[in-house]
Amino acid sequence: MYIEKGTKVKVLVLGDSGVGKSSLTHLLCHNEANKNPGYTIGCWVEIKIHDYKVGTPQEQTYCLEVWDIGASNSHTSSRFIFYSGVDGIILVHDLANRKSLQNLNKWMNEVTNQDPSLSLVTVGSDSSSFIDSKESYGAFAIPVTMIGTKLDQISDEKRREVASRSAIVAEDFGCSEIYLEHALFLFQDCAQPQFIAPGSGNAVKLSRFFDKAVDHAKQRQVTSRGDLNHQRATTRRGSFGMSERKRYAGSPLSGRITPSKSSHQD
């Protein structure tokens, strides 16, 4: 299996505590249920192997970083360190908890406040000068998808009402949405959980989302190289067009964060 190297693809999993982010992250990356989900402190990073644009000449295999972000209120002021270089966002909410749906807007605001370039792109506005409208993915300049969990905890007579509320939020975000049953996280014995079985509607939605995340990462990489080349060219030019050498101290690398988990599900 060939795996494309050199393109870092970063996907955030965001949502309130207890909605099932850790279980979902494990399911997406390992294709099996997490029978002992824990409480995420800070973040937990998993690797997902994704086949990009299957069946096309561009088909390649990528390693995606899936960042499960802890939702503790005590870490609100420090979560910004996880919000740089993002290529896709999975918003998770509990279908039985209306507040968790309402809070998705808060989560998106956290990320876009840290990186304004991910905010709404309006064609013809000043922002269109640095972000091509073709790179806009719905309401944001980044791929976003919504996943509602614990569908089995909603009574049949209320499912239409709950689905309608969720659809309104998804429309506002300009993204697709998926509904999951809680049992799929904890009691699924199948090697291939039905909700992401190849060929299913949900699997297609997820594959398209991850394809867009890869596209965003590739575009971001091209843009970064262009900015770097421009910076180097500007630095080398002297006041009279002669070469000017400057020495810069290397920036320290960020340390690796190793989160710990206890028995509470996030």
Side-chain angles (χ1 to χ4, degrees):
M1 177 178 64
Y2 173 79
I3 296 181
E4 176 70 14
K5 297 180 180 179
T7 301
K8 179 180 178 180
V9 186
K10 179 178 178 179
V11 175
L12 300 183
V13 181
L14 302 174
D16 287 356
S17 179
V19 298
K21 299 190 303 297
S22 296
S23 297
L24 173 65
T25 300
H26 185 89
L27 188 59
L28 290 175
C29 297
H30 301 284
N31 210 24
E32 64 181 13
N34 184 357
K35 297 181 179 180
N36 187 29
Y39 182 83
T40 304
I41 299 177
C43 77
W44 184 262
V45 183
E46 298 266 18
I47 299 298
K48 175 177 175 56
I49 305 300
H50 173 65
D51 293 325
Y52 171 76
K53 293 190 175 180
V54 176
T56 71
Q58 293 78 37
E59 180 176 349
Q60 291 185 23
T61 302
Y62 285 83
C63 288
L64 280 59
E65 295 181 2
V66 183
W67 292 51
D68 170 20
I69 306 299
S72 172
N73 290 331
S74 60
H75 299 142
T76 301
S77 60
S78 60
R79 276 197 296 263
F80 71 92
I81 62 176
F82 306 128
Y83 295 160
S84 62
V86 180
D87 300 302
I89 296 177
I90 299 175
L91 298 171
V92 187
H93 66 103
D94 179 351
L95 291 165
N97 181 353
R98 188 172 181 177
K99 186 67 174 177
S100 69
L101 175 64
Q102 296 171 342
N103 284 342
L104 293 184
N105 190 61
K106 178 201 75 173
W107 286 105
M108 284 303 300
N109 283 336
E110 265 197 24
V111 179
T112 55
N113 286 341
Q114 177 63 25
D115 187 352
S117 69
L118 303 180
S119 298
L120 178 67
V121 178
T122 304
V123 177
S125 69
D126 292 338
S127 62
S128 63
S129 62
F130 62 90
I131 300 179
D132 191 333
S133 61
K134 294 180 180 179
E135 295 303 318
S136 175
Y137 302 92
F140 296 93
I142 188 172
V144 179
T145 192
M146 269 175 55
I147 297 182
T149 64
K150 307 180 186 179
L151 178 63
D152 54 317
Q153 296 185 9
I154 306 298
S155 61
D156 292 340
E157 58 270 17
K158 289 188 176 182
R159 287 194 177 189
R160 178 173 294 183
E161 177 187 349
V162 170
S164 178
R165 285 200 301 263
S166 181
I168 291 173
V169 176
E171 184 177 359
D172 288 342
F173 288 154
C175 69
S176 61
E177 57 178 335
I178 293 173
Y179 299 146
L180 307 180
E181 293 188 2
H182 186 258
L184 283 170
F185 290 137
L186 302 179
F187 310 114
Q188 180 59 258
D189 295 325
C190 301
Q192 287 275 8
Q194 292 181 355
F195 97 95
I196 56 171
S200 67
N202 289 340
V204 171
K205 289 180 181 179
L206 285 169
S207 181
R208 288 175 178 172
F209 165 75
F210 288 125
D211 278 356
K212 290 178 180 179
V214 172
D215 287 336
H216 187 274
K218 292 166 70 175
Q219 179 62 34
R220 182 166 55 82
Q221 188 176 46
V222 169
T223 303
S224 297
R225 286 174 178 171
D227 292 343
L228 180 60
N229 290 337
H230 176 73
Q231 181 181 1
R232 287 173 175 172
T234 302
T235 301
R236 289 170 182 159
R237 286 198 298 268
S239 57
F240 296 100
M242 300 182 65
S243 176
E244 179 179 296
R245 295 183 179 180
K246 294 184 179 180
R247 179 174 297 176
Y248 295 91
S251 60
L253 297 176
S254 58
R256 181 179 179 182
I257 300 174
T258 304
S260 59
K261 292 193 175 185
S262 63
S263 60
H264 180 72
Q265 179 184 357
D266 184 24

